[in-house]
Amino acid sequence: MLQAEVQPCLLIRNRRKFHVRSYVVGVEKWDIDDLIETYLYKRHEVRIASEPMPDDDDDRNRHKAAHVVNGAKVFEFLHETPELKGLQEKIEVFIAQIFAKHIIQDLSRRVNMSAREDANNHATKFVVAGLDVMVTEDGRLYLLEVNVNPIIPPPGSVEETYESHLVGFMRDLVSLIVGMPASNFVSSKSILPKD
């Protein structure tokens, strides 16, 4: 597991691991130079492990369980997590740079393939990706994985506030794709530092 390789990882809430899940959306645009315009969702999730990291390195079963952040039952938001205050801008720049350098080419290729296969050439194509980022004790950021077509927890398995967040994300996503205002999304180009 990549989570175990990020050393020394930042721990919160009584020695619990976490990662930040950020959503990026690529939307096909015909009126700009680039084929795809990318947007970051500003409500970043903090997924906190259910088990704390054990103090004793010999407790292998608990140690292994403490790495499993994907099975997290505790979800918070980056801007509301006291231990992570001030990280939002840094994480957004990191994600925008990763997308600009490494991921946008793959998304453009997927949209091109879809455009050739789809008989409805007037439909706007889009791609959603969930990026998982971990933070070290000294504030370095590591991209764990890019989830294309990320799944969401089944209804009733998470708190009502998180379900509400997912419904809001879907509303904002539809608004973004059809060209309506979506205040929780920001263009990734606007986040990148100006050279």
Side-chain angles (χ1 to χ4, degrees), residues 6-69:
V6 177
Q7 296 289 341
C9 65
L10 183 62
L11 303 176
I12 62 174
R13 306 292 154 82
N14 189 25
R15 298 184 47 81
R16 281 176 164 78
K17 278 193 168 186
F18 69 93
H19 70 243
V20 177
R21 162 64 63 89
S22 298
Y23 295 100
V24 178
V25 175
V27 181
E28 178 183 52
K29 297 287 185 180
W30 297 108
D31 57 344
I32 60 172
D33 292 338
D34 299 324
L35 177 61
I36 293 180
E37 181 79 10
T38 57
Y39 300 88
L40 254 66
Y41 197 58
K42 300 284 284 182
R43 292 178 53 82
H44 309 280
E45 301 167 7
V46 177
R47 298 178 170 201
I48 303 172
S50 300
E51 293 287 327
M53 291 296 292
D55 292 324
D56 184 1
D57 285 340
D58 293 332
D59 191 346
R60 292 193 180 276
N61 288 335
R62 283 191 58 222
H63 202 273
K64 187 175 180 182
H67 288 302
V68 183
V69 176

Side-chain angles (χ1 to χ4, degrees), residues 105-141:
Q105 296 85 2
D106 182 58
L107 291 183
S108 295
R109 182 181 56 77
R110 288 172 189 254
V111 168
N112 269 332
M113 288 171 49
S114 171
R116 287 195 300 269
E117 296 167 0
D118 193 345
N120 185 359
N121 290 325
H122 300 292
T124 299
K125 312 292 189 305
F126 69 95
V127 179
V128 179
L131 281 72
D132 294 340
V133 176
M134 281 191 77
V135 186
T136 62
E137 288 179 355
D138 61 358
R140 286 177 292 144
L141 304 177

Side-chain angles (χ1 to χ4, degrees), residues 148-165:
V148 178
N149 300 324
I151 61 169
I152 60 173
S157 67
V158 292
E159 293 180 2
E160 190 175 317
T161 53
Y162 185 68
E163 282 190 16
S164 176
H165 156 70

